[in-house]
Amino acid sequence: MTTSPMLDFNDQSLKNFFLGSPQSMWIADLTFESILEVNHTAEKTFGYNRTEFLTTPLQNIILPKAYQKLPFDEKQLTKELGFIANSGKKIYAETTLSAILLDGKEAWLFTIVDVTEKKMYRQMLEEGIDEELSLKAKNKELKDLAYMNFHLVRKPLANILGLVNVLDVSINSEKTLAEVLAFLKESGNELDELIKNLDPQQY
């Protein structure tokens, strides 16, 4: 388990600290099957009374992926684990494991610092950043599309405006008038098709 000296739960000062700690704490057996002792803060945080804690398998309180992480590597005795409160609510906590003696037998002391709100806040920030990046990308895409559509529409419109100028100057020539009208009709149809193809949903 560990080569360092173990805390002994028979020590009254340790027992008093455990019971009165503002942090959730419990003691589990070496195999992580059951809880052997629990403090008042854990009862309040997780919504189980002492009897329920001592009769509920530990794997029913720890989320499956977190349960698979037990025991911790001796180089890293603190990890974030997910738990399930009696109400079904998920609780995320920085959890430290320490070797302890309980009634002369080796056990694990869990010290649990609730970081649920911090984790949710961090998740909201990450989602907000992702959403902002997505909106920026969409905005650029729309600008590029608008720019392209502007230039596509501009060509037949420029043709029409140029033809109107030609008509203005050459109103007396029947041949020019016929050519201009044919080209005007062609440019008008081209502009009409472009406008039909512009999807207003894209904006």
Side-chain angles (χ1 to χ4, degrees):
M1 186 175 176
T2 181
T3 54
S4 57
M6 280 184 273
L7 300 166
D8 191 341
F9 197 68
N10 286 332
D11 182 293
Q12 192 59 46
S13 59
L14 176 60
K15 195 175 286 189
N16 291 342
F17 171 76
F18 174 87
L19 293 173
S21 175
Q23 296 174 342
S24 295
M25 300 174 92
W26 64 56
I27 298 171
D29 66 4
L30 275 184
T31 58
F32 300 102
E33 289 178 11
S34 57
I35 294 174
L36 307 173
E37 194 54 77
V38 63
N39 74 356
H40 303 305
T41 308
E43 289 181 67
K44 193 184 296 183
T45 302
F46 290 88
Y48 292 96
N49 62 38
R50 184 173 181 275
T51 304
E52 289 171 328
F53 260 121
L54 302 188
T55 55
T56 302
L58 188 56
Q59 63 181 6
N60 291 3
I61 299 172
I62 302 179
L63 290 173
K65 283 186 181 178
Y67 190 77
Q68 291 169 9
K69 294 179 183 178
L70 301 174
F72 297 165
D73 186 324
E74 283 196 18
K75 294 176 184 174
Q76 187 185 6
L77 292 177
T78 300
K79 286 187 181 177
E80 186 179 292
L81 294 185
F83 299 89
I84 308 166
N86 197 14
S87 64
K89 175 189 168 190
K90 289 181 183 176
I91 295 173
Y92 296 93
E94 290 292 337
T95 306
T96 303
L97 291 187
S98 307
I100 195 168
L101 285 174
L102 178 67
D103 298 328
K105 294 179 182 176
E106 292 183 2
W108 288 109
L109 172 65
F110 281 65
T111 304
I112 301 160
V113 179
D114 190 341
V115 294
T116 307
E117 285 186 18
K118 181 175 155 188
K119 183 181 177 74
M120 294 301 127
Y121 179 70
R122 189 170 62 228
Q123 191 175 332
M124 281 171 52
L125 280 178
E126 287 169 2
E127 286 172 1
I129 289 167
D130 289 345
E131 189 176 339
E132 186 180 346
L133 291 174
S134 174
L135 285 172
K136 281 183 178 177
K138 184 70 176 169
N139 195 31
K140 185 183 182 309
E141 187 182 317
L142 290 174
K143 280 183 180 176
D144 291 346
L145 187 62
Y147 182 79
M148 183 182 71
N149 286 336
F150 170 77
H151 284 282
L152 286 172
V153 170
R154 190 80 181 95
K155 180 189 167 218
L157 182 59
N159 289 341
I160 290 169
L161 293 173
L163 290 168
V164 168
N165 286 334
V166 170
L167 277 174
D168 204 23
V169 174
S170 311
I171 198 72
N172 296 325
S173 168
E174 286 186 24
K175 183 184 176 196
T176 304
L177 187 59
E179 289 173 353
V180 167
L181 285 173
F183 195 38
L184 190 58
K185 186 176 181 182
E186 182 186 331
S187 295
N189 287 335
E190 186 181 349
L191 182 58
D192 186 44
E193 281 302 309
L194 282 169
I195 291 169
K196 282 179 187 173
N197 290 328
L198 290 178
D199 182 2
Q201 295 298 322
Q202 294 173 359
Y203 298 96

